[in-house]
Structure formats: structure tokens, C-alpha cells
Amino acid sequence: MSNAKVVLEPAFQGVGHKPGTEIWRIEDFKPVPLPKSDYGKFYCGDSYIVLQTTCNKGGAYLLDIHFWIGKDSSQDEAGTAAIKTIELDTMLGGRAVQHREPQGYESDKFLSYFKPCIIPMEGGFASGFKKPEEEKFETRLYICKGKRAIRVKEVPFSRSSLNHDDVFILDTEKKIYQFNGANSNIQERAKALEVIQHLKEKYHDGVCNVAIVDDGKLQAESDSGEFWVLFGGFAPIGKKAVSDDDVVLETTAPKLYSINNGQLKLEDIVLTKSILENTKCFLLDCGAELFVWVGRVTQVEDRKTASAAVEKFIIKENRPKTTRITQVIQGYENHTFKSKFESWPASSTAGNSNTEEGRIKVTALLKQKGVDVKGISKSSAPVNDEVPPLLDGGGKLEVWCINGSAKTALPKEELGKFYSGDCYIVLYTYHSGDKKEEFYLTYWIGKHSVREDQEMVFQIANTLWNSMKGRPVLPMVILKGGISSGYKKFVEEKGQKDETYCADGIALIRVSGTSVHNNKTLQVDAVSTSLSSTDCFILQSKNVMFTWIGNSSSYEQQQWAGKVAEFLKPGVAVKHCKEGTESSTFWSAIGGKQNYTSKNVSTDVAIREPHLYTFSLRNGKLEVTEVFNFSQDDLLTEDTMILDTHSEVFVWMGQGVETKEKQKAFEIGEKYVEHAVAFEGISPDVPLYKVIEGNEPCFFRTYFSWDSTRSVIHGNSFEKKLSVLFGMRSEGGPKSSGDGGPTQRASALAALSSALNPSSQGKQSDERPPSSGDGGHTQRASAMAALSSSINTSSKSQTQSHSGQGSQRAAAVAALSNVLTAEGSHSPHHGRGSPTADAAKTELAPASPPPEIEPDATETGRTEPDVSQEQTANENGGQTIFSYERLISKSTDPVSGIDYKRRETYLADSEFQTVFGMTKEEFYEQPRWKQELQKKKADLF
């Protein structure tokens, strides 16, 4: 921004310097900070400014400013919010994306900050607010719309407000009812349950009966009877009346206008990125939404003038006042804006390192088996160190090489040798943290392999996948490495040099990466220019082996280099040399000493956070819609979703998706990759995975705060959510929590939570209720854990004595058993006898309970240090809490006797808050990848 006048608004001083949400309300035409206790409360008569700061993978802060306009807010207040938004952006360096948020038409991104919903209240600052003690409980009727970002609106408490097409919530003092219109959407029903949980916690102190009433199913002695009595008795409800809320603005072909001195001029040309000049502002009219693009070197007054011109445009074009406007700054354009153009060329460095990411999963498995991959690679692509965690290391590994129409199993001693002329199938069978048998299936295509082998490996991999009932994760990876008879013939026909690795020849092999789980081992050209100070190398010169240690290489790389050398030449003595101490024999083997990279090379780490998308195909073109601040709740069983981590793409398919659609997973994935290559700059060779609900691998789950117990719950999204949140079942008729049943259930779950969660840290107990010896118990235990987690989360923070745990547990299980029996819950033996239960068990659970398996560290929030507190205290004079300066990896006075992978756990609570901008509890509630990112930024990694 050129010569921008910095506006020193006192209320904005020091903001935007840590991740999180900050909110101001416009009072007397000035922004006033809102107390955090009032976050999420919006009054219809007011306007607000909301700043959302997030930290991306590159460590930079991304800024979004939203100004929310209440339906009863004055035009002057709304105008003040718009102007102050621009001033706030100016103070933050002019790089924020700005959003206009009219009440009732908020963007999904805005609503994602306040999950599950916001419920605007009547009144405002000008009219004064009621004090809590003055408020009396008032029965209210709400309408709920939305499959993911749910919009809740209060409607008159009257039968005439109900209809057959929507979902309604009736909140009374003693009970909350959900009325499902006969034609309402299953997924909207599921989201409405989250709203009920929100109302229950906020207005009923977590204690309130819940009832589900299905349209058209009247039972006088049930909850539906009670429900209709509140409306004066049962009577038919009318058809839905069309209101402004039901008018969906049409998305039109984008039109671009340049803005000069407040005047708009239509640019009637093909939309390309090059049109946008950094000294100008532009309006992109998409009908349902307007975008204002602002060049980097425009001045503050130009931006204010452009904003005013767009407001006039809305009036002139007779657009609704509720039209959303998003202002983007050059260089910080969002996906939606970029997708309106023919293409959006990315920077030349984007995506270069992603081609290698898929093979990390394969090499990780091989490394855990004590072997490694030697691809015949000429690549010098830098390492992307943002790699998902490993799969469980105790499983069975099988590798086949494709040779014509056959697959040949590799002997154990050959595992890890991949050649660029071959194709391979890798199958890894293991048990996940929740004891299920899982499969990782991949096919690996050598860069120089022949087409016949590539087609055959695809066919065989698909046959294997189908035989396993869809349980494996199936990636499509185009990578480097291997040999085969087809390749030999191809090389001979083309007269090319066969560079296949030979155990008696000369070979230079690079070991790169930042930790054990992402080390890559690649054969490179055997010349000195291939060396790099950031890596380690193995030089094989016939029967002589060297390891070359770069001055900037890591300890893990050095250790791994020795293992690779031993694997290549078992029993042969290895000569170790550090950079700068090489012998003449070493240099002679690689053609003499020449210049090579001796400085740290900045790795090409993707700076994008993972993104979750829904999609639609319109006229053969893929259109995606982002799910912001996503969680496991957004993976709805009826849907297909796309998770883009920039280094890999997952196509997730719910169990409710039709079989024909599941077969199109890779077709959908390939269309998305084409789209993302054009607009997001990912590599066209990015690994592509097909994942089926209930069989998600750990490297997919790591992007969520994952609850594995949900996978044992069957049904549509509404039935699953009903079971998770309230322990209720839907079987086609209204189900109530019962008279006294919720109290009984709450007591049972509270006791269960105390028994199973005795730690004040919220950790899972190592002890579990005794097994009943049948498969049904596993499902029952998982269901109880899910219920305890969702309804009685507060019990996790209670400190419980270890004494008497057995009696507590017995009481909990007994109480819960009474509840389930009273509600007609089927016994484990009954469940096992049903065809549905048998089918589910075959796919999701072992026939008998296997030995206890420790929880997967990638899924649980907090992972305790491997080093005990006693050991740490013994080595530090009884001290277990240390200063930040001593805990950082570059400390000049480092602490000894700690688990260096868990440095942050040794911080005092107050200093932890200062370093990370959040409490320890909030930190460990985040997905694991976010924790690691923040630890790395704080040098506690």
C-alpha cells in the first residue's frame, strides 16, 4: 500500500498478533472491545467487527475481518463498521480479507468461528440490555437450516410457523423438542441436534430432557402428544410459505468492473490474473456475491472510495441489501475468488516437492521393518517436513513386483529395493488403536516403467481392494524407482543406457529429511555436485562403503545413513567421513572434487493449511465449496468429501454413498487435482487417496480431533448424531429421553466418566470395565465412551481419587445397564444374532477382543512425555517446571533429563499461555498437526 495514512484507533492497538478471534461492537460510532464472555452474542440492533487471525504452515498470520450488520442496526452504525474495518486493515498492513456479513446471510466462514451456531437476540446497545437476573425463561421456537454451517432463526411460537420442509426446535423450560418436518433434510436434522446441545448447556445448565418429534407420527401418550399440547392441541400444519429467507440468490457468470474515482467501468474481456493491476481496485460481480479486489499499492482513500462505489452499485442494480461483499487484497485472494478466473498461475516454486510425498508412506512402513527404499532417482527436490505420522509399526508387510500379467512376491531380503523401470504393489496389514484390522494398499509406478506394467498394476490393485470390501486406503501415486523384463526390453529397443543399481558398481545415495518418519533415501548421480551439506550420503564404490555426513545434517539422518549402508552391504565395514575430511579415494570414486551446495537450502514447505471441500459437477466442471474450521462432525455419512493437504489429496466417501458413486472416487479426485493445479498451484503428481468411512488411516485422522468410537455407530447422519450426543435411538418413530431417564442417564454417565477418566488432565484411563467376552461388549464400551465424552465433558477435568475406582466403575456400569435395559436397548447377544450386526462386525471389528492396544498418539490430544517426572526431577534437583529460555531447542542453557519431543509440557501454565496464546487444555484439543506446527514456530520442536 503506497503512502497509506495510518489511522491510530485506540481500540485496535496491539491486535492481530496471535491466533484467535477478537470482536468489537460499534457504540456511539466507535469500536469498543467486547468481553470474551460475550463472544458469540450478537444483538439485532447492533453492528460488530470480528477479526480472525490464523497461523498457516509457513508460520505467517492470515487475517480475516468481518463486519456484521444486525437487521435493526442503523445505516450510520453499519457505515461506521465498514469504515472502521478498512482502518483496522490498514493498521494490520493492508493484507486482510474483508467480509460484509448481513444478519441471516452470514458466510460459512464467519459462522465457523461460532460453532455450532449464533442466535441473534433482540435489542442492542442503543436500546439497552436486560441484565441476566431480570430475564425470565421464555419458551422460544427456532427454525434451523444448513447441512454444515447452520443458520438458526427465532420464529413466532405458533403452529403456523411450522411446516413439512424444515427442522424446528422448541425450547421450553423443562424439555427441548426437535420437530422434523416430513420432507426435511436428514443432515439438517443432524445439525439441529448440535443446536439442542448448545441450548441445553447455555440455558439449562446441561440438565434438560430432549425429545424428537417426527412430523405426521402422533402418539397421544408420547412426546409428540406433549409437543402438540403446547401448541393448543394437534391440528394439520400448512404448506411452507415462501419468505425472503428462502430466496436463493442466483450465481451468474462473473463480470469484472474497474473502479476509478468511484466510477465503475465494465471490462469486457476474458478473465485472467494479468488484468488486475496493483494500482487499481476492481469489482467482480458474481450475482449472489460481490468481490472487491484491491491492488497492493492502492491508498486507503482509494479503498474507501471503492467500498462506497460498491454500495451504490448494489442500490443501482436493485440487489438485496443482504448481498455479501468480500474484499480481497492482492496476493491474499481466496479460493472462491480465484476460481472465477480462467486460471490463476501460481508461483514457480509451488508444489515442486509434493511429487515425492506419496512414497513417504511406503518407505515409512519399510523403515519400521528394518529395510529401506533405493529409488533410481535423479531428483533433487527439497524435503517437505510437514509429513503425517507413521502407520502402526507392528503389522505385516507384503510387496509384489509386476512382471507382465503376473505379480511376483519379493523375498524379505529384497524388500526396499525399488527400481525405476518397475511397478509394485505394497500391502500393509496392521491393527489400529481401536483394535480394528486395517490395510494400507498402494501401487507404486516407476518413472521409467512401461505402459503395460502400469495398466496391470492398476488392475491388480483394484482387484485386491475390492476383495477387501473397501477397507484399504488406496492411493494413486506416480513416483520414481524399479526394474522389470518390460523395462529391460524398452531400454534395449530405445538404445538407452541401463542405469539400474548394481551391488558391485558405483552408486551415490542421498539420505534427506528432518526426522525418522520422513527420511528419504534416493539414488542420485554419482558426482560430487550431487552432495549437499544439509544431507547425508552413502557412497558405494564396488566393495567399499562410505557414509558422508553433511555439516548441517540431522542426527536422525546420520543414524539412518549407517542403517542403509548396512542394508546394502551386510557385514562390510563402513568408512565414516564428515564433510571436509574426505579422503582422495572418496573423491576419486565420484569423479573428483567439484563445487556443491554447502549452504542450508530453504525447503519448499507448503504454506497452505489443509482444506476440506464439498463439490458438485456442473456441465462437467468441478465446483468446490470449502468447509471452514472443519471437524470430524463435517464428515457426513451421505457425502463424498475432498481433503486437500497440499502434499496429498484424499477423497473421503461415507458409508451412505451409493456404490456407483464410490466407484468414481478416483475420477472425482483427478478432476479436483486438475482444478487445484490451475488455481492452487499443487503438483499434478500429488498422491491421491480413496478413503472409506470407518476405515480412515491415521495419516488421514491426524488432520482432525478424531473420536474412533463413532465408527461403531451405524445409521444415517441424524441417527449417528442422536446416539453420540444424547444416547438416543431413532427407529422411525418419536423417541424420548423419558421421564427421569435423562437424570438416570446423566448419573450413570457421570459415574462412568469418574471411573474411566480419573485423571485431572483429561487422559483416558488405562483400566477398562471387565470384558463380557463377546463382540457386543466392544461396541457397548465404545458407545459408553462416546456418550461420556459428549455429554459429561466436564467430568474430565474433575480430580478423582484412585481409591475406590473399582466400586465407582461397577456402579457406573450397573447404572448404565439399568438405563439401557429400561430403554429397550438390545443385549450384546441380541446384536450378534442380527444380520446387520454381523455384517458390521465383519467389516469393522475383530471376531474376538484382541490384547489391549495403546491409544494412537496421533489421535489423542495430549501425549505424555516418555521420560518420567521422577527421572526429570532426579536430574534437575527436584525441579520439573522450567523456563521457556531453557526449553527451546537453541537454548544456551538447555535442560537435561526431559523428553525433548514434548518440551512444551515442562512450561508453567502462565508461560505456556504467553508462548502459545492459549491454555494447555485448548492447545491439546487441537489436531496433532496444528500442535506440531505451533511447537515448531515456538522452537519447542
Side-chain angles (χ1 to χ4, degrees):
M1 182 167 44
S2 176
N3 300 321
K5 178 183 177 181
V6 178
V7 184
L8 300 176
E9 172 61 58
F12 294 151
Q13 294 297 319
V15 303
H17 297 307
K18 63 180 181 180
T21 306
E22 296 169 90
I23 304 178
W24 298 262
R25 180 170 55 221
I26 303 300
E27 299 180 7
D28 295 328
F29 308 108
K30 292 182 180 180
V32 177
L34 204 64
K36 287 191 179 295
S37 59
D38 287 340
Y39 280 19
K41 293 180 181 178
F42 293 88
Y43 286 87
C44 302
D46 289 332
S47 293
Y48 297 79
I49 296 174
V50 177
L51 170 63
Q52 184 71 17
T53 306
T54 55
C55 180
N56 70 12
K57 281 192 172 185
Y61 284 140
L62 303 179
L63 305 167
D64 285 273
I65 308 175
H66 307 255
F67 60 99
W68 186 88
I69 303 170
K71 65 181 179 63
D72 300 326
S73 178
S74 70
Q75 187 63 41
D76 289 340
E77 282 185 338
T80 300
I83 292 172
K84 292 298 179 182
T85 293
I86 295 174
E87 293 178 2
L88 173 59
D89 181 31
T90 303
M91 294 186 67
L92 294 170
R95 54 194 173 90
V97 177
Q98 299 174 29
H99 311 259
R100 180 180 186 264
E101 306 284 358
Q103 179 182 339
Y105 298 87
E106 297 88 354
S107 65
D108 288 357
K109 189 167 194 175
F110 178 82
L111 293 175
S112 73
Y113 308 147
F114 307 101
K115 288 186 175 181
C117 64
I118 62 171
I119 306 177
M121 297 174 286
E122 294 297 325
F125 172 75
S127 59
F129 303 99
K130 290 182 179 180
K131 295 182 179 179
E133 58 268 22
E134 297 174 351
E135 296 180 357
K136 292 184 179 180
F137 191 91
E138 182 179 346
T139 297
R140 298 177 187 273
L141 183 65
Y142 303 98
I143 185 172
C144 302
K145 296 184 178 183
K147 293 166 56 176
R148 288 183 176 80
I150 191 163
R151 290 165 174 80
V152 181
K153 178 183 177 182
E154 185 177 353
V155 295
F157 176 28
S158 167
R159 182 189 291 105
S160 61
S161 296
L162 302 174
N163 63 65
H164 301 293
D165 300 317
D166 291 315
V167 179
F168 296 83
I169 293 173
L170 180 63
D171 186 12
T172 71
E173 190 167 7
K174 300 296 184 182
K175 186 180 286 189
I176 304 176
Y177 300 85
Q178 176 169 323
F179 176 80
N180 297 326
N183 304 324
S184 60
N185 183 280
I186 287 292
Q187 295 175 340
E188 286 189 342
R189 296 182 188 185
K191 295 304 287 186
L193 290 171
E194 295 180 22
V195 178
I196 289 180
Q197 182 74 355
H198 171 71
L199 294 172
K200 181 177 176 181
E201 293 173 354
K202 188 171 183 179
Y203 298 112
H204 300 270
D205 297 323
V207 181
C208 182
N209 291 354
V210 174
I212 307 300
V213 178
D214 290 328
D215 183 13
K217 297 178 181 177
L218 175 63
Q219 297 179 19
E221 300 301 324
S222 68
D223 294 314
S224 61
E226 291 180 4
F227 175 81
W228 288 112
V229 166
L230 294 170
F231 287 91
F234 177 77
I237 56 178
K239 291 184 178 180
K240 180 176 180 178
V242 178
S243 66
D244 291 341
D245 294 341
D246 299 308
V247 176
V248 178
L249 297 178
E250 182 181 356
T251 299
T252 59
K255 296 179 181 178
L256 187 69
Y257 297 84
S258 57
I259 306 175
N260 294 298
N261 298 320
Q263 301 300 312
L264 274 62
K265 177 187 175 183
L266 179 63
E267 302 289 343
D268 190 16
I269 52 178
V270 176
L271 297 185
T272 61
K273 183 180 179 181
S274 60
I275 300 172
L276 305 173
E277 301 177 29
N278 61 6
T279 58
K280 293 183 178 181
C281 296
F282 291 84
L283 168 65
L284 185 67
D285 178 13
C286 303
E289 187 170 12
L290 302 180
F291 293 90
V292 179
W293 184 90
V294 176
R296 269 187 182 170
V297 296
T298 53
Q299 299 188 26
V300 178
E301 291 307 316
D302 293 333
R303 300 181 183 191
K304 289 183 178 180
T305 301
S307 179
V310 173
E311 293 287 350
K312 292 179 181 177
F313 176 83
I314 290 176
I315 297 172
K316 179 182 176 182
E317 295 292 319
N318 199 27
R319 301 287 175 85
K321 292 182 179 180
T322 53
T323 301
R324 283 206 305 271
I325 303 173
T326 302
Q327 178 173 302
V328 295
I329 188 71
Q330 182 181 5
Y332 294 89
E333 299 87 353
N334 60 24
H335 179 89
T336 306
F337 178 84
K338 291 188 287 188
S339 66
K340 303 298 182 183
F341 288 72
E342 288 295 313
S343 64
W344 195 272
S347 59
S348 59
T349 60
N352 290 340
S353 65
N354 297 328
T355 304
E356 303 295 332
E357 291 305 319
R359 54 183 294 284
I360 291 172
K361 305 295 188 307
V362 180
T363 57
L365 303 176
L366 297 170
K367 289 172 187 176
Q368 292 181 357
K369 292 298 187 181
V371 297
D372 190 42
V373 175
K374 266 63 61 187
I376 311 302
S377 170
K378 308 305 175 187
S379 169
S380 59
V383 180
N384 183 338
D385 63 358
E386 296 297 333
V387 179
L390 296 176
L391 298 168
D392 179 271
K396 177 185 177 182
L397 177 66
E398 299 171 271
V399 182
W400 295 270
C401 178
I402 302 302
N403 195 349
S405 60
K407 60 181 174 70
T408 304
L410 296 188
K412 184 176 180 180
E413 61 272 15
E414 292 295 315
L415 294 179
K417 293 182 179 178
F418 282 49
Y419 296 89
S420 61
D422 275 355
C423 296
Y424 297 82
I425 293 175
V426 178
L427 175 64
Y428 186 65
T429 307
Y430 65 104
H431 286 88
S432 62
D434 55 1
K435 308 174 187 177
K436 293 189 304 180
E437 188 174 56
E438 300 280 7
F439 302 91
Y440 174 85
L441 175 66
T442 181
Y443 58 93
W444 192 92
I445 301 176
K447 183 179 181 181
H448 303 117
S449 59
V450 296
R451 178 170 294 277
E452 290 78 6
D453 285 351
Q454 294 175 11
E455 292 174 350
M456 184 55 61
V457 75
F458 176 77
Q459 293 175 17
I460 295 176
N462 267 311
T463 301
L464 275 173
W465 185 83
N466 290 329
S467 69
M468 294 172 183
K469 299 182 180 178
R471 284 181 285 176
V473 179
L474 185 61
M476 182 176 70
V477 191
I478 303 174
L479 299 167
K480 305 179 174 82
I483 59 170
S484 75
S485 58
Y487 169 73
K488 294 287 187 184
K489 182 178 179 181
F490 174 81
V491 169
E492 183 179 352
E493 290 176 350
K494 296 293 183 180
Q496 297 177 354
K497 181 181 179 182
D498 189 349
E499 296 183 307
T500 301
Y501 168 81
C502 176
D504 297 324
I506 294 177
L508 184 64
I509 297 161
R510 185 184 72 197
V511 176
S512 59
T514 55
S515 64
V516 172
H517 75 269
N518 71 358
N519 278 332
K520 301 178 185 178
T521 307
L522 301 172
Q523 184 175 356
V524 294
D525 289 333
V527 292
S528 57
T529 53
S530 297
L531 299 174
S532 170
S533 298
T534 58
D535 298 323
C536 294
F537 290 79
I538 300 101
L539 174 61
Q540 172 189 295
S541 179
K542 298 183 179 179
N543 291 322
V544 180
M545 296 292 286
F546 296 89
T547 59
W548 185 86
I549 310 301
N551 288 334
S552 299
S553 62
S554 68
Y555 173 76
E556 289 83 1
Q557 289 172 334
Q558 297 166 24
Q559 293 291 101
W560 197 252
K563 292 181 180 180
V564 172
E566 172 64 22
F567 171 68
L568 288 172
K569 291 283 187 178
V572 174
V574 179
K575 299 180 180 181
H576 303 281
C577 62
K578 290 187 176 181
E579 181 179 358
T581 65
E582 303 86 354
S583 65
S584 59
T585 305
F586 176 89
W587 290 121
S588 176
I590 54 176
K593 184 177 181 179
Q594 299 180 50
N595 291 332
Y596 59 86
T597 303
S598 58
K599 296 180 181 179
N600 285 335
V601 180
S602 59
T603 58
D604 181 23
V605 178
I607 62 171
R608 292 173 63 247
E609 288 193 354
H611 294 264
L612 184 69
Y613 297 102
T614 61
F615 68 91
S616 61
L617 290 169
R618 187 171 298 177
N619 298 325
K621 182 180 179 183
L622 185 77
E623 296 184 1
V624 299
T625 302
E626 183 165 2
V627 179
F628 298 99
N629 294 318
F630 62 84
S631 67
Q632 187 180 356
D633 284 334
D634 293 308
L635 300 175
L636 302 178
T637 192
E638 298 84 9
D639 283 352
T640 298
M641 310 288 292
I642 294 171
L643 176 65
D644 177 4
T645 71
H646 201 71
S647 59
E648 52 200 354
V649 172
F650 299 88
V651 180
W652 180 92
M653 312 199 90
Q655 293 288 359
V657 175
E658 294 183 359
T659 303
K660 288 183 179 180
E661 288 300 313
K662 288 181 180 178
Q663 294 173 352
K664 296 179 181 178
F666 281 135
E667 180 183 339
I668 293 166
E670 288 167 356
K671 283 184 178 292
Y672 174 76
V673 170
E674 291 175 9
H675 173 89
V677 167
F679 296 103
E680 298 296 341
I682 72 170
S683 166
D685 294 329
V686 64
L688 180 60
Y689 297 81
K690 174 181 178 179
V691 178
I692 299 298
E693 180 186 12
N695 298 282
E696 296 87 352
C698 63
F699 54 88
F700 175 87
R701 298 190 299 254
T702 191
Y703 294 103
F704 302 79
S705 295
W706 197 262
D707 179 4
S708 296
T709 59
R710 298 188 181 192
S711 63
V712 301
I713 302 171
H714 302 285
N716 60 39
S717 17
F718 171 66
E719 292 165 340
K720 287 186 176 187
K721 187 61 65 69
L722 191 62
S723 178
V724 168
L725 288 182
F726 303 110
M728 299 165 63
R729 294 179 295 122
S730 175
E731 297 178 356
K735 294 290 174 184
S736 171
S737 51
D739 295 330
T743 304
Q744 201 176 10
R745 181 184 294 105
S747 300
L749 291 177
L752 184 68
S753 180
S754 298
L756 298 183
N757 296 285
S759 171
S760 61
Q761 299 297 328
K763 296 181 295 181
Q764 293 181 340
S765 172
D766 291 331
E767 301 181 29
R768 309 212 187 279
S771 173
S772 62
D774 57 50
H777 173 77
T778 304
Q779 290 185 326
R780 180 181 296 275
S782 300
M784 289 192 294
L787 292 173
S788 176
S789 174
S790 59
I791 299 180
N792 292 288
T793 52
S794 60
S795 66
K796 292 185 179 181
S797 60
Q798 295 173 351
T799 305
Q800 300 290 339
S801 169
H802 286 275
S803 63
Q805 273 188 27
S807 59
Q808 279 184 323
R809 183 175 293 107
V813 175
L816 188 63
S817 177
N818 290 337
V819 174
L820 296 177
T821 301
E823 294 180 353
S825 175
H826 60 270
S827 69
H829 296 287
H830 184 177
R832 288 174 57 136
S834 67
T836 303
D838 286 342
K841 189 178 72 174
T842 300
E843 184 143 340
L844 297 176
S848 59
E852 287 288 335
I853 300 176
E854 290 297 318
D856 189 343
T858 66
E859 295 173 50
T860 54
R862 183 186 304 232
T863 305
E864 289 303 304
D866 296 331
V867 181
S868 68
Q869 283 196 349
E870 290 78 8
Q871 181 179 342
T872 302
N874 290 339
E875 294 194 26
N876 293 277
Q879 188 177 359
T880 57
I881 299 296
F882 306 95
S883 68
Y884 173 70
E885 287 73 19
R886 295 193 65 194
L887 288 170
I888 59 176
S889 60
K890 297 177 183 176
S891 174
T892 56
D893 181 24
V895 182
S896 61
I898 64 171
D899 185 346
Y900 295 103
K901 295 180 292 184
R902 307 283 179 262
R903 297 172 187 265
E904 81 285 354
T905 61
Y906 301 95
L907 287 169
D909 290 348
S910 58
E911 193 162 22
F912 190 100
Q913 175 92 38
T914 302
V915 172
F916 291 103
M918 65 186 75
T919 65
K920 287 184 178 180
E921 288 70 23
E922 292 170 336
F923 179 82
Y924 290 114
E925 284 175 358
Q926 301 179 111
R928 184 63 178 271
W929 69 270
K930 280 194 175 181
Q931 296 176 27
E932 299 300 320
L933 174 62
Q934 291 163 3
K935 284 163 58 176
K936 185 176 294 185
K937 188 174 181 181
D939 196 25
L940 291 168
F941 189 77

